[in-house]
Amino acid sequence: MPLPKHVRLVEVGPRDGLQNEAQPISIADKVRLVDDLTEAGLAYIEVGSFVSPKWVPQMAGSAEVFAGIRQRPGVTYAALAPNLRGFEDAVAAGVKEVAVFAAASEAFSQRNINCSISDSLKRFEPIMEAARSHGVRVRGYVSCVLGCPYEGKVSAAQVAPVARALHDMGCYEVSLGDTIGTGTAGDTRRLFEVVAAQVPRERLAGHFHDTYGQALANVYASLLEGISVFDSSVAGLGGCPYAKGATGNIASEDVLYLLQGLGIETGIDLDRLIAAGQRISGVLGRDNGSRVARARSAQ
Ligand code: HMG
Ligand code: MG
């Protein structure tokens, strides 16, 4: 399959990146991160989550973050919503796009959202209905597509029906998440081959955590499968509170560098992106997780 000419990066740093942080991060720092990402040219930024603060305390201030950011026309600012309550809170905060999240493994579904896969899909139905009436677009996630922290290997045959159910209920795009980052390029190609028989490739996205250092190879494998939307996290921030040991998403800077080398357009300014990552890494008091940012900053 020819490589795409244009790729859309879904920047998940402010949400997937920060949700796992135990240290307090001020609303001002979160707002600054989103604004920096807007300035860098990201067209899609996942800003926060309207989930239970008992489950993910770090996302509790998401409405304030939405109130504080400078929204640029044409850029999508999205949030996670696990249930109707979360959806309503998101809409009240002015959110125009939400994401619902299901899993390919039963054990992860229970740990992450406290219900079975089929109950989670039922829980999303009223969200889809409310979203239609509010003109809100809904993106879908499937977690644990290449492995589960509790169940081990997950087959593509387990992923496909969940991805299809999300697409059929009205998610305009379904992002397949390698939550624990164990998948390889071969696994990734097989996954997209199988899932694409149920959901059109142009409606699928890749979401790779880099725990085993395979994420960039998995992005390339996905490009070869005709996938042109990838979730990534500035400075490689993050992890998942319900997937012990999972590291951050693939760093946005590293994906961008790969894409630039392939002559693929994204509309993103690498230098500004690196600056955004350097700043938030400083706030968190840790090394930048992007190899590209580290190399450029050492020059
Ligand atoms: P539950 O305990 O089963 O829900 O949690 P409940 O309905 O029984 O409610 C329990 C309490 O939470 C109640 O409060 C509710 O009011 C409150 P209490 O009466 O005890 O004071 N509550 C809420 N509060 C705020 N916002 C809400 C909300 N809903 C209920 N929306 C629930 C079920 C889904 C709420 C919970 O499990 C939850 O919030 N889970 C979120 C987990 C999460 O955010 N995980 C990380 C994101 S997923 C991810 O990172 C993977 C991804 O990146 C892809 C990949 O890498 O694979 C997307
Ligand atoms: Mg994730």
Side-chain angles (χ1 to χ4, degrees), residues 109-274:
S109 184
Q110 288 293 348
R111 301 281 182 114
N112 194 37
I113 49 176
N114 206 21
C115 65
S116 67
I117 298 169
S118 75
D119 283 349
S120 73
L121 296 171
K122 281 190 212 112
R123 204 182 263 178
F124 300 152
E125 294 283 2
I127 299 183
M128 302 309 297
E129 208 180 303
R132 274 189 289 275
S133 70
H134 283 86
V136 167
R137 297 208 311 164
V138 185
R139 192 171 192 250
Y141 279 107
V142 186
S143 288
C144 296
V145 297
L146 294 172
C148 167
Y150 314 108
E151 290 180 12
K153 214 137 184 72
V154 171
S155 73
Q158 286 170 267
V159 180
V162 184
R164 181 174 182 160
L166 291 172
H167 184 249
D168 286 354
M169 72 171 71
C171 293
Y172 74 90
E173 185 170 284
V174 179
S175 177
L176 303 186
D178 183 10
T179 317
I180 54 170
T182 51
T184 64
D187 299 331
T188 299
R189 292 202 74 165
R190 273 188 299 279
L191 173 71
F192 280 115
E193 254 168 50
V194 171
V195 178
Q198 304 284 328
V199 179
R201 279 167 210 267
E202 57 277 14
R203 298 297 188 92
L204 293 172
H207 177 112
F208 300 106
H209 286 258
D210 200 29
T211 319
Y212 280 67
Q214 304 299 300
L216 205 54
N218 292 342
V219 168
Y220 188 63
S222 310
L223 287 168
L224 296 175
E225 285 297 322
I227 303 305
S228 62
V229 181
F230 296 99
D231 305 348
S232 63
S233 176
V234 68
L237 298 173
C240 176
Y242 296 100
K244 225 177 168 14
T247 65
N249 299 82
I250 185 166
S252 306
E253 300 89 322
D254 299 0
V255 189
L256 182 57
Y257 186 80
L258 169 76
L259 296 173
Q260 288 182 342
L262 292 167
I264 297 173
E265 289 293 326
T266 61
I268 303 164
D269 180 326
L270 181 57
D271 290 335
R272 285 190 166 184
L273 187 59
I274 290 173

